[in-house]
Amino acid sequence: MLIRHRPDIPTSAITPPAVYGGRRDFLRALALGAGAAGCGLLGAGHAASGERTRFASVVPGPFSVSDEKPTPYSSVTEYGNFYEFGPDKDSPQRNAYRLRTRPWTVSVDGEVRAPKTFAIDDILKWAPLEERVYRMRCVEGWSAVIPWVGFPLNELIRRCDVTGNAKFVEFWSLADPEQMPYVRLPVLDWPYVEALRLDEAMHPLALLGLGMYGEHMPKQNGAPLRVVVPWKYGFKGAKSIVRVRFVERQPPTVWTRTAPDEYGFYSNVNPDVPHKRWSQSHERRLGEFFKRKTLPFNGYADQVAGLYAGMDLRRNF
Ligand code: MTE
């Protein structure tokens, strides 16, 4: 079934070298009898990663795509990247059942007046849950139209009481080897940390994602909460976040640490700036056959281009 949704770019052509390296390390670990299978690393054949629970109330939010149907739920939940659960596109949906999403807290530190910790069940009550149907574009060339559920990320940031020094915000994903088997392996330089400039994170288009398709977030898509930044390549949206840290200087991220010449800090969707190893001019929607042109800022230029006025977007890719 996955093959049906798989774009025709072979994974071998698009997987970042570090991830490839990780796969090699993983295979080497297996060959050396490092006990991976014994630890259950090979997956227990779980097809789904948890119960599907609908939200009681979700209101329509702004910025939704109105001229396209959402990508089928199965495509979005069965094909994706969540390297903590493995290097393949179906690893997340096979292995994310291990993730425990309660209790769950998000700690806040760095350039804030006082560090604090929020519990997910409180976060869920902070603001009306909105449905926002966003175009999403992966750096690897596939894309989707996803009806997210959440509220503006700026709602979270407002509650963090940041100091005047805060210029950037980091989002840290959980990195628990007990729940996320591939965190034991050097697939990436764990934990998965992504970051935004503070004004990007405050932009009303940036979403704190709490669910999709009217339901709580599936584990493989980043339960119980993640970042959704639709004008940037998908890797900027850290999944299953447990820590938010405000900093003064542009921080390294998991991808700029891994391959700085391939993944820039900004990573705005830009059809005119090719990735080092492939073009970014076109994309394929999951489940579709024909490619379509990629739009600057993924079609959200009217909303966000002003954030980058005066910047050279080739250098700041
Ligand atoms: N967040 C974490 N913690 N780990 C990951 O491997 N992958 C990123 C991003 N967030 C990733 C992550 C990448 S490369 C993409 S394309 C999107 O998640 C995919 O999200 P989706 O599966 O919900 O489409």
Side-chain angles (χ1 to χ4, degrees):
M1 184 153 70
L2 286 164
I3 304 289
R4 195 156 46 89
H5 304 302
R6 198 174 279 249
D8 62 0
I9 308 169
T11 308
S12 56
I14 55 182
T15 307
V19 173
Y20 251 158
R23 198 196 319 248
R24 274 199 303 275
D25 287 339
F26 172 60
L27 294 173
R28 202 179 308 131
L30 273 187
L32 292 173
C39 300
L41 270 178
L42 292 179
H46 287 245
S49 289
E51 281 170 33
R52 295 176 57 174
T53 318
R54 289 197 77 76
F55 288 110
S57 158
V58 177
V59 300
F63 306 117
S64 277
V65 174
S66 55
D67 56 349
E68 269 196 88
K69 278 209 307 217
T71 304
Y73 177 89
S74 58
S75 303
V76 173
T77 55
E78 292 174 10
Y79 186 96
N81 292 322
F82 200 163
Y83 294 115
E84 289 88 332
F85 292 107
D88 296 315
K89 297 297 177 231
D90 62 345
S91 304
Q93 67 106 17
R94 282 194 293 108
N95 296 329
Y97 70 92
R98 295 163 174 276
L99 185 65
R100 290 189 300 275
T101 59
R102 293 295 186 286
W104 190 281
T105 56
V106 178
S107 65
V108 178
D109 65 310
E111 289 293 345
V112 290
R113 290 203 173 78
K116 52 181 103 181
T117 301
F118 300 122
I120 182 64
D121 290 317
D122 294 331
I123 295 175
L124 280 160
K125 293 182 208 134
W126 279 351
L129 296 179
E130 298 173 5
E131 176 166 270
R132 295 183 176 201
V133 186
Y134 281 172
R135 282 181 294 273
M136 302 301 293
R137 170 67 154 80
C138 178
V139 73
E140 297 168 347
W142 44 275
S143 63
V145 175
I146 302 182
W148 297 105
V149 176
F151 48 70
L153 190 55
N154 60 36
E155 182 70 38
L156 166 68
I157 293 169
R158 260 189 339 97
R159 290 167 189 261
C160 293
D161 206 6
V162 301
T163 72
N165 294 334
K167 301 284 183 302
F168 294 86
V169 52
E170 299 173 347
F171 299 96
W172 292 51
S173 297
L174 180 71
D176 176 4
E178 295 303 322
Q179 302 177 62
M180 301 169 140
Y182 284 78
V183 168
R184 292 183 201 278
L185 300 170
V187 178
L188 289 173
D189 186 3
W190 311 113
Y192 195 104
V193 180
E194 260 305 342
L196 298 171
R197 220 172 55 192
L198 196 55
D199 59 335
E200 297 180 310
M202 291 297 289
H203 192 282
L205 196 56
L207 194 73
L208 187 68
L210 296 154
M212 49 165 60
Y213 300 85
E215 301 174 357
H216 286 256
M217 191 69 77
K219 293 184 177 183
Q220 61 268 44
N221 295 92
L225 79 171
R226 65 173 289 173
V227 174
V228 178
V229 204
W231 70 96
K232 293 178 179 282
Y233 293 115
F235 65 83
K236 293 298 287 184
K239 296 176 167 180
S240 305
I241 57 172
V242 289
R243 182 182 184 194
V244 176
R245 184 163 76 135
F246 295 88
V247 293
E248 193 169 356
R249 294 180 194 289
Q250 182 178 307
T253 68
V254 66
W255 291 105
T256 62
R257 278 198 309 261
T258 301
D261 52 340
E262 301 198 9
Y263 305 103
F265 178 84
Y266 283 94
S267 292
N268 292 315
V269 174
N270 190 341
D272 298 330
V273 176
H275 182 272
K276 202 175 154 204
R277 290 178 284 138
W278 59 85
S279 163
Q280 293 291 24
S281 65
H282 288 75
E283 67 198 64
R284 188 190 302 283
R285 287 265 192 280
L286 292 179
E288 292 184 7
F289 181 74
F290 292 108
K291 287 188 177 178
R292 61 178 73 213
K293 279 192 167 168
T294 287
L295 301 171
F297 297 105
N298 203 23
Y300 297 99
D302 287 353
Q303 286 80 28
V304 298
L307 291 171
Y308 310 100
M311 279 176 70
D312 178 348
L313 297 180
R314 286 188 175 272
R315 217 150 53 84
N316 296 290
F317 63 93

